[in-house]
Amino acid sequence: MTRLRLGILISGRGSNMVALVEAAQAADYPAEPVLVLSNQPHADGLNLARARGIEAIAVDHRPFSGDRAAHERALDDHLQARGVDVIALAGYMRVLTPWFVRRWQGRMVNIHPSLLPKYPGLNTHARAIEAGETEAGCSVHWVSDGVDTGEVIAQARIPIRPGDTAAALAQRLLPAEHRLYPEALRRACARIRAGNGQTD
Ligand code: GRF
């Protein structure tokens, strides 16, 4: 079976990107990482990708002076040039324009550290603790217009412990993210192959 060509967008540490790259080493994994893009030139994840033999390119958003669409056209040029079929956002910290979202609709997924639809956006852990939640988690979802909206593909849950801080919770959740993302991307690839990735 030909594998789908995977592009991964990051902004920083890149631990979820590494989890995807490592999962893709399995012979039966449906996606092959071919390109990592970062809007942050000094993102640690760029070197982690290169160390694993994946082409990694920084496309700094700053020289585009706030022209988000122009920055995304530059990202898109790289993705098209490498024949990317599916995008995984992995800690990509910029909100995408409707143009980019529609262009990749049904072929782009994201991981978010909350049990969506609860706590989209930033500071999810602090907000969950503040609200007295007893459970936290992470979600992999199709990307659609709107921040952290779009159909959820898979979720993982962990308990919030008394006295938990946002930092402690984030750290405890991370291994669950690393298990969830490769499995959810596997499901997403199956949907794309079947021609029914999320389309609304
Ligand atoms: C993760 O917690 C992910 O859920 C969120 O941003 C963080 C990125 O971490 N979207 P990393 O760069 O994958 O290590």
Side-chain angles (χ1 to χ4, degrees), residues 39-125:
N39 67 302
Q40 296 287 0
H42 302 295
D44 289 340
L46 287 169
N47 285 331
L48 293 176
R50 290 176 189 133
R52 287 161 176 78
I54 313 292
E55 184 179 14
I57 301 173
V59 184
D60 191 346
H61 60 277
R62 293 170 195 86
F64 292 88
S65 311
D67 187 344
R68 290 162 62 216
H71 177 245
E72 290 172 5
R73 281 196 297 274
L75 295 177
D76 195 66
D77 286 347
H78 285 295
L79 295 162
Q80 301 297 341
R82 303 312 180 285
V84 166
D85 300 304
V86 55
I87 294 176
L89 304 178
Y92 186 70
M93 297 305 286
R94 286 177 69 78
V95 175
L96 294 162
T97 65
W99 172 77
F100 192 88
V101 170
R102 286 190 195 126
R103 190 163 175 76
W104 289 94
Q105 190 99 44
R107 297 184 296 149
M108 179 161 59
V109 298
N110 179 44
I111 186 158
H112 181 73
S114 81
L115 292 170
L116 292 172
K118 287 185 169 180
Y119 312 113
L122 299 175
N123 302 320
T124 55
H125 304 304

Coordinates of all heavy atoms in Angstrom, one line a residue, residues 39-125:
N39 N 7.1 27.7 12.0 CA 7.0 29.2 11.9 C 8.1 29.8 12.8 O 8.3 31.0 12.7 CB 5.6 29.7 12.2 CG 5.3 29.6 13.6 OD1 5.3 28.4 14.1 ND2 5.0 30.6 14.4
Q40 N 8.7 29.0 13.7 CA 9.7 29.6 14.6 C 11.0 29.0 14.2 O 11.3 27.8 14.2 CB 9.4 29.1 16.0 CG 8.1 29.7 16.6 CD 8.2 31.2 17.0 OE1 9.3 31.8 16.8 NE2 7.1 31.7 17.5
P41 N 12.0 29.9 13.7 CA 13.2 29.4 13.2 C 14.1 28.6 14.2 O 14.9 27.8 13.9 CB 14.0 30.7 12.8 CG 13.0 31.7 12.8 CD 11.8 31.3 13.6
H42 N 13.8 28.9 15.5 CA 14.7 28.2 16.5 C 13.9 27.1 17.2 O 14.3 26.7 18.3 CB 15.2 29.2 17.5 CG 16.0 30.3 16.8 ND1 17.2 30.1 16.2 CD2 15.8 31.6 16.7 CE1 17.6 31.2 15.6 NE2 16.8 32.2 15.9
A43 N 12.9 26.6 16.7 CA 12.1 25.5 17.3 C 13.0 24.3 17.5 O 13.6 23.9 16.5 CB 10.9 25.2 16.4
D44 N 13.0 23.8 18.7 CA 13.8 22.6 18.9 C 13.4 21.4 18.0 O 14.2 20.6 17.6 CB 13.6 22.1 20.4 CG 14.3 23.1 21.4 OD1 15.2 23.8 20.9 OD2 13.9 23.0 22.5
G45 N 12.1 21.4 17.7 CA 11.6 20.3 16.8 C 12.3 20.2 15.5 O 12.4 19.1 14.9
L46 N 12.8 21.3 14.9 CA 13.4 21.2 13.6 C 14.6 20.3 13.6 O 14.8 19.5 12.8 CB 13.9 22.7 13.2 CG 12.7 23.6 12.8 CD1 13.3 25.0 12.6 CD2 12.1 23.2 11.5
N47 N 15.5 20.4 14.7 CA 16.7 19.6 14.7 C 16.3 18.1 15.1 O 16.9 17.2 14.6 CB 17.7 20.1 15.7 CG 18.4 21.3 15.1 OD1 18.5 21.4 13.9 ND2 18.8 22.3 15.9
L48 N 15.3 18.0 15.9 CA 14.8 16.6 16.2 C 14.4 15.9 14.9 O 14.6 14.7 14.7 CB 13.7 16.7 17.2 CG 14.0 17.2 18.6 CD1 12.8 17.2 19.5 CD2 15.1 16.3 19.3
A49 N 13.7 16.6 14.0 CA 13.2 16.0 12.8 C 14.4 15.7 11.9 O 14.5 14.6 11.4 CB 12.3 17.0 12.1
R50 N 15.4 16.7 11.8 CA 16.5 16.4 10.9 C 17.4 15.2 11.4 O 17.8 14.4 10.6 CB 17.4 17.7 10.9 CG 16.8 18.8 10.1 CD 17.6 20.1 10.2 NE 16.8 21.2 9.6 CZ 16.7 22.4 10.2 NH1 17.3 22.7 11.3 NH2 15.9 23.3 9.6
A51 N 17.4 15.1 12.7 CA 18.2 14.0 13.3 C 17.6 12.7 13.0 O 18.2 11.6 13.0 CB 18.3 14.2 14.8
R52 N 16.3 12.7 12.6 CA 15.6 11.5 12.2 C 15.4 11.4 10.7 O 14.7 10.6 10.2 CB 14.2 11.5 12.9 CG 14.3 11.2 14.4 CD 13.1 11.6 15.2 NE 13.3 11.2 16.6 CZ 14.1 11.8 17.5 NH1 14.7 12.9 17.1 NH2 14.2 11.4 18.7
G53 N 16.2 12.2 10.0 CA 16.2 12.1 8.6 C 15.1 12.7 7.8 O 14.8 12.4 6.7
I54 N 14.3 13.6 8.5 CA 13.2 14.2 7.9 C 13.6 15.7 7.5 O 14.1 16.4 8.3 CB 12.0 14.3 8.9 CG1 11.7 13.0 9.6 CG2 10.7 14.8 8.1 CD1 11.2 11.9 8.7
E55 N 13.2 16.1 6.3 CA 13.5 17.4 5.9 C 12.7 18.4 6.8 O 11.5 18.2 7.0 CB 13.1 17.6 4.5 CG 13.5 19.0 4.0 CD 13.1 19.2 2.5 OE1 12.3 18.4 1.9 OE2 13.6 20.2 1.9
A56 N 13.4 19.4 7.3 CA 12.7 20.3 8.2 C 13.1 21.8 7.8 O 14.3 22.1 7.7 CB 13.1 20.1 9.7
I57 N 12.1 22.6 7.6 CA 12.3 23.9 7.1 C 11.6 24.9 8.0 O 10.4 24.7 8.4 CB 11.7 24.1 5.7 CG1 12.4 23.1 4.8 CG2 11.8 25.5 5.2 CD1 11.8 23.0 3.4
A58 N 12.3 26.0 8.3 CA 11.6 27.1 9.1 C 11.1 28.1 8.1 O 11.8 28.5 7.1 CB 12.6 27.8 10.0
V59 N 9.8 28.5 8.2 CA 9.2 29.6 7.4 C 8.8 30.6 8.5 O 7.6 30.6 9.0 CB 8.1 29.1 6.6 CG1 7.6 30.3 5.7 CG2 8.5 28.0 5.7
D60 N 9.7 31.5 8.8 CA 9.4 32.5 9.9 C 8.3 33.4 9.5 O 8.3 33.9 8.3 CB 10.7 33.3 10.1 CG 10.7 34.2 11.3 OD1 9.6 34.4 11.8 OD2 11.8 34.7 11.6
H61 N 7.3 33.6 10.4 CA 6.1 34.4 10.0 C 6.5 35.9 10.1 O 5.8 36.7 9.5 CB 4.9 34.1 10.9 CG 5.2 34.3 12.3 ND1 5.8 33.4 13.1 CD2 4.9 35.4 13.1 CE1 5.9 33.9 14.4 NE2 5.4 35.1 14.4
R62 N 7.5 36.3 10.8 CA 7.8 37.7 11.1 C 8.0 38.5 9.8 O 7.5 39.6 9.7 CB 8.9 37.8 12.1 CG 8.5 37.3 13.4 CD 9.8 37.3 14.4 NE 9.5 36.5 15.5 CZ 9.6 35.1 15.6 NH1 10.1 34.5 14.5 NH2 9.4 34.5 16.7
P63 N 8.8 38.0 8.9 CA 9.1 38.9 7.7 C 7.8 39.1 6.8 O 7.8 40.0 6.0 CB 10.1 38.0 6.8 CG 10.7 37.1 7.8 CD 9.7 36.8 8.8
F64 N 6.7 38.4 7.1 CA 5.5 38.6 6.4 C 4.7 39.8 7.0 O 3.6 40.1 6.5 CB 4.7 37.3 6.3 CG 5.3 36.3 5.5 CD1 6.3 35.4 6.0 CD2 5.1 36.2 4.1 CE1 6.9 34.4 5.3 CE2 5.7 35.2 3.3 CZ 6.6 34.3 3.9
S65 N 5.2 40.4 8.0 CA 4.6 41.6 8.6 C 3.1 41.5 8.8 O 2.3 42.4 8.4 CB 4.9 42.8 7.8 OG 6.3 42.8 7.5
G66 N 2.6 40.4 9.4 CA 1.2 40.3 9.7 C 0.3 39.8 8.5 O -0.9 39.6 8.7
D67 N 0.9 39.6 7.3 CA 0.2 39.1 6.2 C 0.1 37.5 6.4 O 0.9 36.8 5.8 CB 0.8 39.5 4.9 CG 0.0 39.1 3.7 OD1 -1.0 38.3 3.8 OD2 0.2 39.6 2.6
R68 N -0.9 37.1 7.1 CA -1.0 35.7 7.5 C -1.2 34.8 6.2 O -0.6 33.7 6.1 CB -2.1 35.4 8.4 CG -1.8 36.0 9.8 CD -3.1 36.1 10.6 NE -3.8 34.9 10.9 CZ -5.1 34.7 10.9 NH1 -5.9 35.7 10.7 NH2 -5.6 33.5 11.1
A69 N -2.0 35.3 5.3 CA -2.2 34.5 4.1 C -1.0 34.3 3.3 O -0.7 33.3 2.7 CB -3.3 35.2 3.2
A70 N -0.1 35.4 3.2 CA 1.1 35.3 2.4 C 2.1 34.2 3.1 O 2.7 33.4 2.4 CB 1.8 36.6 2.3
H71 N 2.1 34.3 4.4 CA 2.9 33.3 5.2 C 2.4 31.9 4.8 O 3.2 31.0 4.6 CB 2.9 33.6 6.7 CG 3.6 32.5 7.5 ND1 3.0 31.7 8.4 CD2 4.9 32.2 7.5 CE1 3.9 30.9 8.9 NE2 5.0 31.2 8.5
E72 N 1.1 31.7 4.9 CA 0.6 30.4 4.6 C 0.7 29.9 3.2 O 0.9 28.7 2.9 CB -0.9 30.3 5.0 CG -1.1 30.4 6.5 CD -2.5 30.6 7.0 OE1 -3.4 30.5 6.1 OE2 -2.7 30.8 8.2
R73 N 0.7 30.9 2.2 CA 1.0 30.5 0.8 C 2.4 30.0 0.7 O 2.7 29.0 0.0 CB 0.8 31.7 -0.1 CG -0.7 32.0 -0.4 CD -0.8 32.9 -1.6 NE -0.2 34.2 -1.4 CZ -0.9 35.2 -0.8 NH1 -2.1 35.1 -0.4 NH2 -0.3 36.4 -0.7
A74 N 3.4 30.6 1.5 CA 4.7 30.1 1.5 C 4.8 28.6 2.1 O 5.5 27.8 1.6 CB 5.6 31.0 2.3
L75 N 4.0 28.4 3.2 CA 4.0 27.1 3.8 C 3.4 26.1 2.7 O 3.9 25.0 2.5 CB 3.1 27.0 5.0 CG 3.5 27.8 6.2 CD1 2.4 27.7 7.3 CD2 4.8 27.3 6.8
D76 N 2.3 26.5 2.1 CA 1.6 25.7 1.1 C 2.6 25.3 -0.1 O 2.5 24.2 -0.5 CB 0.4 26.4 0.7 CG -0.6 25.5 0.0 OD1 -1.1 24.6 0.6 OD2 -0.7 25.6 -1.3
D77 N 3.4 26.3 -0.5 CA 4.3 26.0 -1.6 C 5.2 24.9 -1.2 O 5.5 24.0 -2.0 CB 5.2 27.3 -1.9 CG 4.3 28.3 -2.6 OD1 3.2 28.0 -3.1 OD2 4.8 29.5 -2.7
H78 N 5.7 24.9 0.0 CA 6.6 23.8 0.4 C 5.9 22.5 0.5 O 6.4 21.4 0.1 CB 7.2 24.1 1.8 CG 8.3 25.1 1.8 ND1 9.5 24.9 1.2 CD2 8.3 26.3 2.4 CE1 10.2 26.0 1.4 NE2 9.6 26.9 2.1
L79 N 4.6 22.5 1.0 CA 3.8 21.3 1.1 C 3.5 20.7 -0.3 O 3.6 19.5 -0.5 CB 2.5 21.6 1.9 CG 2.8 22.0 3.3 CD1 1.5 22.7 3.9 CD2 3.1 20.8 4.2
Q80 N 3.2 21.6 -1.2 CA 2.8 21.1 -2.6 C 4.1 20.6 -3.2 O 4.0 19.5 -3.9 CB 2.3 22.3 -3.4 CG 1.0 22.9 -2.9 CD -0.2 22.0 -2.8 OE1 -0.2 21.0 -3.4 NE2 -1.1 22.3 -1.9
A81 N 5.2 21.3 -3.0 CA 6.5 20.8 -3.7 C 6.9 19.4 -3.2 O 7.5 18.7 -4.0 CB 7.6 21.8 -3.4
R82 N 6.5 19.1 -2.0 CA 6.9 17.7 -1.5 C 5.7 16.7 -1.7 O 5.8 15.6 -1.2 CB 7.2 17.8 0.0 CG 8.3 18.7 0.4 CD 9.6 18.6 -0.4 NE 10.6 19.5 0.1 CZ 10.6 20.8 -0.1 NH1 9.7 21.5 -0.8 NH2 11.7 21.5 0.3
G83 N 4.7 17.1 -2.4 CA 3.6 16.2 -2.6 C 2.8 15.8 -1.4 O 2.4 14.6 -1.3
V84 N 2.7 16.6 -0.4 CA 2.1 16.3 0.9 C 0.6 16.0 0.6 O -0.1 16.7 -0.1 CB 2.3 17.4 1.9 CG1 1.4 17.2 3.1 CG2 3.8 17.4 2.4
D85 N 0.1 14.9 1.3 CA -1.3 14.5 1.2 C -2.1 14.8 2.4 O -3.3 15.1 2.4 CB -1.4 12.9 1.0 CG -0.7 12.4 -0.2 OD1 -1.0 12.8 -1.3 OD2 0.2 11.5 0.0
V86 N -1.4 14.8 3.6 CA -2.1 15.0 4.8 C -1.2 15.8 5.8 O 0.0 15.6 5.8 CB -2.5 13.6 5.5 CG1 -1.3 12.7 5.6 CG2 -3.2 13.8 6.8
I87 N -1.8 16.7 6.5 CA -1.1 17.6 7.5 C -1.5 17.2 8.9 O -2.6 17.1 9.2 CB -1.4 19.1 7.3 CG1 -0.9 19.5 5.9 CG2 -0.8 19.9 8.4 CD1 -1.2 21.0 5.6
A88 N -0.4 17.1 9.8 CA -0.7 17.0 11.2 C -0.1 18.2 11.9 O 1.1 18.5 11.7 CB 0.0 15.7 11.8
L89 N -1.0 19.0 12.5 CA -0.5 20.1 13.3 C -0.1 19.6 14.7 O -0.8 18.8 15.3 CB -1.7 21.1 13.5 CG -2.3 21.7 12.3 CD1 -3.5 22.6 12.6 CD2 -1.3 22.4 11.4
A90 N 1.1 19.9 15.1 CA 1.7 19.3 16.3 C 2.3 20.4 17.1 O 3.5 20.7 17.0 CB 2.7 18.2 16.0
G91 N 1.5 21.1 17.9 CA 2.0 22.3 18.6 C 2.3 23.5 17.7 O 3.2 24.3 18.0
Y92 N 1.5 23.6 16.6 CA 1.6 24.7 15.7 C 0.8 25.9 16.3 O -0.5 25.7 16.5 CB 1.1 24.4 14.3 CG 1.4 25.5 13.3 CD1 2.7 25.8 12.9 CD2 0.3 26.2 12.8 CE1 2.9 26.9 12.1 CE2 0.6 27.3 11.9 CZ 1.9 27.6 11.6 OH 2.1 28.6 10.7
M93 N 1.4 27.0 16.7 CA 0.8 27.9 17.6 C 0.2 29.1 16.9 O 0.0 30.2 17.5 CB 1.8 28.4 18.7 CG 2.2 27.3 19.6 SD 0.9 26.4 20.4 CE 0.4 27.7 21.6
R94 N 0.0 29.0 15.6 CA -0.7 30.1 14.9 C -2.1 29.7 14.4 O -2.2 28.5 13.9 CB 0.2 30.6 13.7 CG 1.4 31.4 14.1 CD 2.3 31.8 13.0 NE 1.7 32.8 12.1 CZ 1.6 34.1 12.4 NH1 2.1 34.5 13.5 NH2 1.1 34.9 11.5
V95 N -3.0 30.6 14.5 CA -4.4 30.3 14.0 C -4.3 30.4 12.4 O -3.7 31.3 11.9 CB -5.4 31.3 14.5 CG1 -6.8 31.1 13.9 CG2 -5.4 31.2 16.1
L96 N -4.8 29.4 11.8 CA -4.7 29.3 10.3 C -5.9 30.1 9.7 O -7.0 30.2 10.2 CB -4.8 27.9 9.9 CG -3.6 27.0 10.3 CD1 -3.9 25.6 10.2 CD2 -2.3 27.4 9.5
T97 N -5.6 30.7 8.5 CA -6.7 31.4 7.8 C -7.7 30.5 7.2 O -7.4 29.3 6.9 CB -6.1 32.3 6.7 OG1 -5.5 31.4 5.7 CG2 -5.0 33.3 7.2
P98 N -8.9 31.0 7.0 CA -9.9 30.1 6.3 C -9.4 29.6 4.9 O -9.7 28.5 4.6 CB -11.1 31.1 6.1 CG -10.9 32.1 7.2 CD -9.4 32.3 7.4
W99 N -8.6 30.4 4.3 CA -8.1 29.9 3.0 C -7.3 28.6 3.1 O -7.5 27.6 2.4 CB -7.1 31.0 2.3 CG -6.4 30.5 1.1 CD1 -7.0 30.3 -0.1 CD2 -5.1 30.0 1.0 NE1 -6.1 29.7 -1.0 CE2 -4.9 29.5 -0.3 CE3 -4.0 29.9 1.9 CZ2 -3.7 29.0 -0.7 CZ3 -2.8 29.3 1.5 CH2 -2.7 28.9 0.2
F100 N -6.4 28.6 4.1 CA -5.5 27.4 4.3 C -6.4 26.3 4.8 O -6.2 25.1 4.4 CB -4.4 27.8 5.3 CG -3.3 26.7 5.4 CD1 -2.2 26.8 4.5 CD2 -3.4 25.7 6.3 CE1 -1.2 25.8 4.5 CE2 -2.4 24.7 6.4 CZ -1.3 24.8 5.5
V101 N -7.3 26.6 5.7 CA -8.1 25.5 6.3 C -8.9 24.9 5.2 O -9.0 23.6 5.1 CB -9.0 26.1 7.4 CG1 -10.1 25.1 7.8 CG2 -8.2 26.5 8.6
R102 N -9.5 25.7 4.3 CA -10.4 25.1 3.3 C -9.5 24.3 2.3 O -10.0 23.3 1.8 CB -11.2 26.2 2.6 CG -12.3 26.6 3.5 CD -13.3 27.5 2.9 NE -14.0 28.1 4.0 CZ -14.2 29.4 4.2 NH1 -13.8 30.3 3.3 NH2 -14.9 29.9 5.2
R103 N -8.4 24.8 2.0 CA -7.5 24.1 1.1 C -7.1 22.7 1.5 O -7.0 21.8 0.7 CB -6.2 25.0 0.9 CG -5.3 24.5 -0.2 CD -4.3 25.7 -0.5 NE -3.3 25.3 -1.4 CZ -3.5 25.2 -2.8 NH1 -4.7 25.5 -3.2 NH2 -2.5 24.9 -3.6
W104 N -7.0 22.6 2.9 CA -6.6 21.3 3.4 C -7.8 20.6 4.2 O -7.5 19.6 4.9 CB -5.4 21.5 4.4 CG -4.2 21.8 3.6 CD1 -3.7 23.0 3.3 CD2 -3.3 20.9 2.9 NE1 -2.6 22.9 2.5 CE2 -2.3 21.6 2.3 CE3 -3.3 19.5 2.9 CZ2 -1.3 21.0 1.5 CZ3 -2.2 18.9 2.1 CH2 -1.3 19.6 1.5
Q105 N -8.9 21.1 4.0 CA -10.1 20.5 4.6 C -10.2 19.0 4.4 O -10.1 18.5 3.2 CB -11.4 21.2 4.1 CG -12.6 20.8 4.8 CD -13.0 21.9 5.8 OE1 -12.9 23.1 5.4 NE2 -13.4 21.6 7.0
G106 N -10.4 18.2 5.5 CA -10.5 16.8 5.3 C -9.2 16.1 5.2 O -9.1 14.9 5.0
R107 N -8.1 16.9 5.2 CA -6.7 16.3 5.1 C -5.8 16.9 6.1 O -4.6 16.8 6.0 CB -6.2 16.6 3.7 CG -7.0 16.0 2.5 CD -6.3 16.2 1.2 NE -6.3 17.6 0.9 CZ -5.3 18.2 0.1 NH1 -4.4 17.5 -0.3 NH2 -5.4 19.5 -0.2
M108 N -6.4 17.5 7.2 CA -5.5 18.2 8.2 C -6.1 17.9 9.6 O -7.3 18.2 9.8 CB -5.5 19.7 7.9 CG -4.6 20.4 9.0 SD -4.1 22.1 8.4 CE -5.6 22.9 8.0
V109 N -5.2 17.5 10.5 CA -5.7 17.2 11.8 C -4.8 17.9 12.8 O -3.7 18.4 12.5 CB -5.6 15.6 12.1 CG1 -6.6 14.9 11.2 CG2 -4.2 15.1 12.0
N110 N -5.3 18.0 14.1 CA -4.6 18.7 15.1 C -4.7 18.0 16.4 O -5.7 17.3 16.6 CB -5.2 20.1 15.3 CG -4.6 21.0 16.4 OD1 -3.4 21.0 16.5 ND2 -5.4 21.6 17.2
I111 N -3.7 18.2 17.3 CA -3.9 17.6 18.7 C -4.0 18.8 19.6 O -3.3 19.8 19.5 CB -2.7 16.7 19.1 CG1 -3.0 16.1 20.5 CG2 -1.4 17.4 19.1 CD1 -2.3 14.8 20.8
H112 N -5.0 18.7 20.5 CA -5.3 19.8 21.5 C -5.3 19.2 22.9 O -6.0 18.1 23.1 CB -6.6 20.4 21.1 CG -6.9 21.6 22.1 ND1 -6.2 22.8 22.0 CD2 -7.8 21.7 23.1 CE1 -6.7 23.6 23.0 NE2 -7.6 22.9 23.6
P113 N -4.7 19.8 23.9 CA -4.6 19.2 25.2 C -5.8 19.5 26.1 O -5.7 20.0 27.2 CB -3.3 19.8 25.8 CG -3.2 21.1 25.2 CD -3.8 21.0 23.8
S114 N -7.0 19.2 25.6 CA -8.2 19.2 26.4 C -9.2 18.2 25.9 O -9.0 17.7 24.7 CB -8.8 20.6 26.5 OG -9.7 20.8 25.3
L115 N -10.2 18.0 26.7 CA -11.3 17.1 26.2 C -12.3 18.0 25.4 O -13.3 18.4 26.0 CB -12.0 16.4 27.4 CG -11.1 15.3 28.1 CD1 -11.7 14.9 29.4 CD2 -10.8 14.2 27.2
L116 N -12.0 18.2 24.2 CA -12.9 19.1 23.4 C -14.3 18.5 23.4 O -14.4 17.2 23.4 CB -12.3 19.2 21.9 CG -11.0 20.0 21.8 CD1 -10.5 19.9 20.4 CD2 -11.2 21.4 22.2
P117 N -15.3 19.3 23.3 CA -15.3 20.7 23.1 C -15.0 21.6 24.3 O -15.1 22.8 24.1 CB -16.8 21.0 22.6 CG -17.6 19.9 23.3 CD -16.7 18.7 23.4
K118 N -14.6 21.0 25.4 CA -14.2 21.8 26.5 C -12.9 22.4 26.3 O -12.0 21.8 25.8 CB -14.2 21.0 27.8 CG -15.5 20.6 28.3 CD -15.4 19.9 29.7 CE -16.8 19.7 30.3 NZ -16.7 19.0 31.6
Y119 N -12.7 23.6 26.7 CA -11.4 24.3 26.8 C -10.6 24.4 25.5 O -9.5 24.0 25.4 CB -10.5 23.7 27.9 CG -11.3 23.6 29.2 CD1 -11.6 22.4 29.7 CD2 -11.8 24.7 29.8 CE1 -12.3 22.2 30.9 CE2 -12.5 24.6 31.0 CZ -12.8 23.4 31.5 OH -13.5 23.3 32.6
P120 N -11.2 24.9 24.4 CA -10.4 25.2 23.2 C -9.5 26.4 23.5 O -9.7 27.1 24.6 CB -11.5 25.6 22.2 CG -12.6 26.1 23.0 CD -12.6 25.3 24.3
G121 N -8.5 26.6 22.7 CA -7.7 27.8 22.9 C -6.5 27.5 23.8 O -6.1 26.4 24.0
L122 N -6.1 28.6 24.5 CA -4.8 28.5 25.3 C -5.2 28.2 26.8 O -6.3 28.3 27.2 CB -4.1 29.8 25.2 CG -3.6 30.2 23.8 CD1 -2.9 31.6 23.8 CD2 -2.6 29.1 23.3
N123 N -4.2 27.9 27.6 CA -4.3 27.7 29.0 C -5.3 26.7 29.4 O -6.0 26.8 30.4 CB -4.6 29.0 29.7 CG -3.5 30.1 29.4 OD1 -2.3 29.8 29.4 ND2 -3.9 31.3 29.1
T124 N -5.4 25.6 28.7 CA -6.4 24.6 28.9 C -6.3 24.0 30.3 O -7.3 23.8 30.9 CB -6.3 23.5 27.8 OG1 -5.0 23.0 27.9 CG2 -6.7 24.0 26.5
H125 N -5.1 23.7 30.7 CA -4.9 22.9 32.0 C -5.4 23.8 33.1 O -6.1 23.4 34.0 CB -3.5 22.4 32.1 CG -3.1 21.6 31.0 ND1 -3.7 20.5 30.6 CD2 -2.0 21.7 30.1 CE1 -3.1 19.9 29.6 NE2 -2.1 20.7 29.3

